[in-house]
Amino acid sequence: MREALLPVMSVAVLVLTAAGIVWRARNKQWVRDAQLGLNAQPRLSLILPVLMVLFAAVMVVLGVGSLEAGFTFGWGYFPLALAALFFVGFIAWIARRPFPLD
């Protein structure tokens, strides 16, 4: 039972992350403010996506290592890596949008 907890909780985090991203993407004012914030400090705004990609890579390495060692809870690391990549994709989507004219 305990070894199924990490994969189940990881899938829950993945679903909540996807729902939160969809919820935020529907708010045009929030997306505009986020885009203006990304434009204000372009080099500084790269820190979070780079750290999230590194986090995703570490989660994949931990997942593969756990599965190779014979632990079934290793599957739980892959949804966490995917959630981190969702964040990176959302930030890239905001940054690639046309700049607001108002």
Side-chain angles (χ1 to χ4, degrees), residues 4-20 76 79-80 83 86:
L5 187 62
L6 180 65
V8 169
M9 294 304 288
S10 296
V11 170
V13 166
L14 177 64
V15 168
L16 289 174
T17 300
L80 293 176
F86 277 173

Side-chain angles (χ1 to χ4, degrees), residues 50-99:
V50 167
L51 289 177
M52 294 300 280
V53 168
L54 288 174
F55 175 77
V58 168
M59 289 296 107
V60 168
V61 167
L62 284 174
V64 169
S66 297
L67 289 174
E68 285 295 319
F71 299 114
T72 57
F73 65 83
W75 289 108
Y77 291 110
F78 298 110
L80 293 176
L82 189 58
L85 293 178
F86 277 173
F87 275 122
V88 172
F90 185 53
I91 291 171
W93 176 76
I94 289 173
R96 298 283 300 163
R97 289 176 53 87
F99 200 72

Side-chain angles (χ1 to χ4, degrees), residues 17-58:
T17 300
I21 287 173
V22 169
W23 180 64
R24 281 295 185 185
R26 292 181 61 192
N27 187 348
K28 294 187 187 308
Q29 186 66 30
W30 186 90
V31 171
R32 180 186 170 276
D33 291 343
Q35 187 178 17
L36 291 174
L38 287 173
N39 189 43
Q41 295 288 333
R43 279 180 246 127
L44 188 62
S45 62
L46 283 176
I47 293 173
L48 180 64
V50 167
L51 289 177
M52 294 300 280
V53 168
L54 288 174
F55 175 77
V58 168

